[in-house]
Amino acid sequence: MKIAFIGLGNMGGGMAANLVKAGHDVHAFDLAEAALARAKENGCTTYTSVKEAVQGADAVVSMLPNGAIVKAVYTADVIGQAPTSALLLDCSTIDVATAREVAALAADAGYAMADAPVSGGIAAANGGTLTFMVGGSADAFARGEPILAAMGKAVIHAGESGAGQAAKICNNMLLGASMIATCETFAMAEKLGLDLQTFFDISSKASGQCWSMTSYCPVPGVGPATPADNGYQGGFATALMLKDLKLAMEAAKSAGADVPMGARAAELYAAFDAAGNGGLDFSAIIKTL
């Protein structure tokens, strides 16, 4: 397929490269020259504008920073420029309301569109092992599944438009809160005199087991290799976790949901980010405990 890929940052660059590996003809755009250069090295054809990249595309995939940019790009440069036969897949993490608004605008113009945010981080984007949570019609999901499968290990239909974003926001609120709980538990275990590897060996096989411990341990040298073993570089940046938690708080307010643990996680990550740690992996919050 001829696929236009918009947004070649830390996540999008690896995703576009995996589409090339799967045999697709990828037409890529990003504002950053360095990102375009990397995409070209990975086999993409690069363009200096979105409008050029989407010409004649069978599908458009985007990975952009926020809802305002997603809306601006789709309304100004994709809708009316790409063929109406093209499937639109937005993999950005944005608010539910904007995802639904852009999908409705696309539908009014004759396009099928799905929101397909991801879970997995930079390593999974590069390795093609992302999980996609997809919101949209059954037809849009069926058309988009083989494209997304080339970039991930799981592609799950969450429901109608906006459901993918809702699932992503809920998932990352749980992740943020569970990471803080994991960090404070390791800190307490150390102060109680427990060897941290021994505690990991016990808790990872007991009722305290969670992904933040067994797959993404925040303690250097304990468990599988994680950003903690690399000075908390790479992985999922604190600034991005805070962005997702803010989206979760907005969603909770709009839905009338009571989320005390999520709200506290948002407060702690806001303070950690404000202290200049936005570029560190989110597991580095253990430094505050």
Side-chain angles (χ1 to χ4, degrees), residues 11 118-125 129-131 133 153 168 171-172 175 211 216 235-236:
M11 296 292 290
V118 308
S119 177
I122 297 171
T129 58
L130 294 167
T131 294
M133 299 154 255
K153 64 179 181 181
K168 172 65 183 287
N171 180 77
N172 277 27
L175 174 60
W211 188 89
Y216 213 86
F236 186 50

Side-chain angles (χ1 to χ4, degrees), residues 40-277:
K40 191 170 184 179
E41 290 174 3
N42 288 328
C44 299
T45 302
T46 58
Y47 293 85
T48 56
S49 75
V50 174
K51 291 180 180 179
E52 289 179 315
V54 302
Q55 295 299 311
D58 297 308
V60 177
V61 180
S62 55
M63 186 54 122
L64 299 166
N66 58 54
I69 293 174
V70 168
K71 182 178 178 180
V73 167
Y74 274 91
T75 55
D77 298 320
V78 177
I79 295 172
Q81 301 297 324
T84 54
S85 58
L87 174 66
L88 310 182
L89 295 168
D90 180 40
C91 297
S92 318
T93 296
I94 64 174
D95 61 286
V96 175
T98 298
R100 289 174 175 163
E101 180 185 2
V102 175
L105 291 170
D108 288 344
Y111 296 87
M113 183 171 187
D115 49 286
V118 308
S119 177
I122 297 171
N126 292 334
T129 58
L130 294 167
T131 294
F132 290 88
M133 299 154 255
V134 187
S137 68
D139 177 67
F141 175 76
R143 291 175 60 191
E145 185 174 17
I147 298 171
L148 299 173
M151 302 180 284
K153 64 179 181 181
V155 183
I156 302 167
H157 192 198
E160 294 300 316
S161 291
Q165 298 297 348
K168 172 65 183 287
I169 290 167
C170 290
N171 180 77
N172 277 27
M173 184 175 75
L174 177 58
L175 174 60
S178 67
M179 177 55 77
I180 292 171
T182 299
C183 289
E184 66 184 17
T185 300
F186 270 109
M188 187 171 87
E190 185 174 39
K191 289 182 178 180
L192 289 171
L194 287 170
D195 175 76
L196 295 188
Q197 179 64 56
T198 301
F199 174 66
F200 173 89
D201 293 341
I202 294 168
S203 195
S204 64
K205 297 176 181 64
S207 55
Q209 186 277 135
C210 63
W211 188 89
S212 292
M213 172 178 285
T214 57
S215 298
Y216 213 86
C217 186
V219 180
V222 175
T226 68
D229 299 305
N230 189 38
Y232 300 98
Q233 299 298 317
F236 186 50
T238 290
L240 295 178
M241 172 54 79
L242 179 58
K243 170 199 166 186
D244 289 358
L245 288 170
K246 287 179 176 178
L247 289 173
M249 294 307 99
E250 293 171 9
K253 183 177 180 180
S254 68
D258 188 20
V259 291
M261 297 295 287
R264 183 60 179 144
E267 291 172 357
L268 290 171
Y269 274 108
F272 191 53
D273 179 74
N277 300 299

